[in-house]
Amino acid sequence: MTEPDLVQLAQLGDPKAIANILNRSLQSKGITVKAVIKDSCLQLMVESTQIPPQKAVVNFVRKTLIELSVDDIKTVRISGQHIGMASPSWRDTFKLPEKSVLLADDNSEIGIRQMVKEGNVNAINVLLVNALANSDLTVLTELKNGCLQIILQSLHEPEEQATVEIIRQTVMGWQAENIDSIQIYGQQIHEAFPVWGQHIELMKRDRTDNHLEKTDKLTLERIKNLPIENRFQFSSIVPYKDAFSANLYKDNKVKLMLFFSLFPWTLRLLARETGLESIAWLLGIYYSAIWGIVLYHLIKPLYFAWGETIKCILFTAFVGIPLLLFVQSIPPFNLLYSALNINSLGVASQLVGFVFGVGILEESCKALPVYLFMVREGKINNPLTSAFYGAMSGLGFAIAEGANYSVMYAFGLQSGRLGLGDYVLVNTIRMVSLPLFHATWAGIVGYFLGLAAINPSRRGMIIAIGIAISAVLHGCYNTFSNNLLGFAILAFSILLFVAYLRRSKEMVDRMQQAELNYQSWKSK
């Protein structure tokens, strides 16, 4: 079947043709689509070896169907499902714009512009898509309180300056009275936050022209001769209205700046009424939140959910650590831990205790929620996503551990066992630096959990290797933390973690091939 025939069938509402067109773009990403139409509703089943990214899939399907202008389809229902799971992992529903809005001949252009002036968001979206037709951008629009909000999504970071200028000129050309400003965000698909944003205040052309027509040369000359303090309004010099505009706070970068700058001041105000332990917990959360954002952008997980992230953090902090404390009190771990406090046994004995006691138990503790809630439930089968949730579990461990140690350091300062300089230094290391290292070691184990999900025939061995690597790094650091060797181990841990992330595609291909070879051998 030729391409024109396939497109024509799709426009006539043939579900197989629609599915074929969608699959041509999605199958290269490991995603397949099945389609049926019932009562003017297009029902799509989107399947993949991992949970399909909801936002990216929905936006792509919406854009494709709008461009096709399919007959007799008013509503689209999409279900995203992990292959082999009994029920969908997510569902989404949206309505398609009226077909009259999607016409592209010369006569309909006038009608579309009229719809724009009336505030029709579908018409606005069509004209913006046409203006950006040569790009791979998905355009999402919303008009609220005179502000046209536009989200541009792409597999890569959307180009900023040229794209913003095209949109600015396009919107100004409409001369729409109902649009006073434009807020544009550029966002990569799979990213939770935009990578850039721009706000544009529009000057209404008709008002400006009328004003200039009524202003004669004498008036303009008088304006030029006015004292400088009379030429400008206070609101122009100090744009306080913009500072308090609701649109400003929709920018995630602004929210992050406010949170990270004002959170410590909030703690200062609460310090008089809050105990030392609570302050230590809140500071641990503060510093770990910073590392959480850094790690999110470093790892770039294919699947992200706030609920799963918080679940891993809380489980480790409030369930995993108490379980750890119980296990370390029973043989043989109690013997390994006791070796840490006997200096006469030497470095070798301490290294054994730190690796096989502290390292094994703590890294297993941090891996536990990722395995229970993500891998075992079939929600993850790629190492980047599991590395991210492992790192988040590591941050949860660091928050709880840092709070306890911070209280101990405070008592040490009060009793004179720590000097003021030592207290500031060790507390900074514990609250600021060590959360990253806990997250890094836990991220390495999480990475191997993702590989184990791809290669279930060797799951136990792969998980054991991941825990062993992190336990050795963790135990070696604890043993040599007071000299340059400890510094080198920390640096190597970070570099090793980044190397794993960069080789994730190669490792996934190897694990998939190994599993296929095993299943083929098993079936013989």
Side-chain angles (χ1 to χ4, degrees), residues 322-378:
L323 180 62
L324 166 68
L325 295 174
F326 169 73
V327 174
Q328 75 181 38
S329 66
I330 61 177
F333 294 105
N334 61 339
L335 299 177
L336 292 169
Y337 270 79
S338 64
L340 304 179
N341 301 317
I342 305 176
N343 295 327
S344 62
L345 294 178
V347 173
S349 297
Q350 287 190 336
L351 181 60
V352 171
F354 276 125
V355 171
F356 292 96
V358 176
I360 293 291
L361 284 187
E362 291 193 4
E363 298 310 320
S364 299
C365 167
K366 290 182 278 187
L368 187 58
V370 183
Y371 178 79
L372 291 177
F373 303 138
M374 311 297 291
V375 176
R376 193 181 66 167
E377 297 294 326

Side-chain angles (χ1 to χ4, degrees), residues 72-140:
D72 300 327
I73 293 181
K74 297 180 180 179
T75 306
V76 180
R77 293 178 182 170
I78 308 177
S79 300
Q81 185 167 328
H82 186 295
I83 293 176
M85 297 295 286
S87 59
S89 301
W90 55 262
R91 292 183 175 88
D92 209 319
T93 303
F94 62 87
K95 292 184 178 181
L96 291 174
E98 297 292 334
K99 190 173 180 181
S100 59
V101 176
L102 304 176
L103 296 174
D105 54 49
D106 294 337
N107 293 329
S108 67
E109 181 72 18
I110 299 174
I112 292 177
R113 287 180 177 271
Q114 182 59 39
M115 292 180 186
V116 168
K117 292 183 177 181
E118 294 172 356
N120 188 302
V121 176
N122 291 326
I124 291 172
N125 201 83
V126 168
L127 291 185
L128 289 174
V129 169
N130 290 340
L132 300 168
N134 295 326
S135 67
D136 61 348
L137 296 171
T138 298
V139 183
L140 305 176

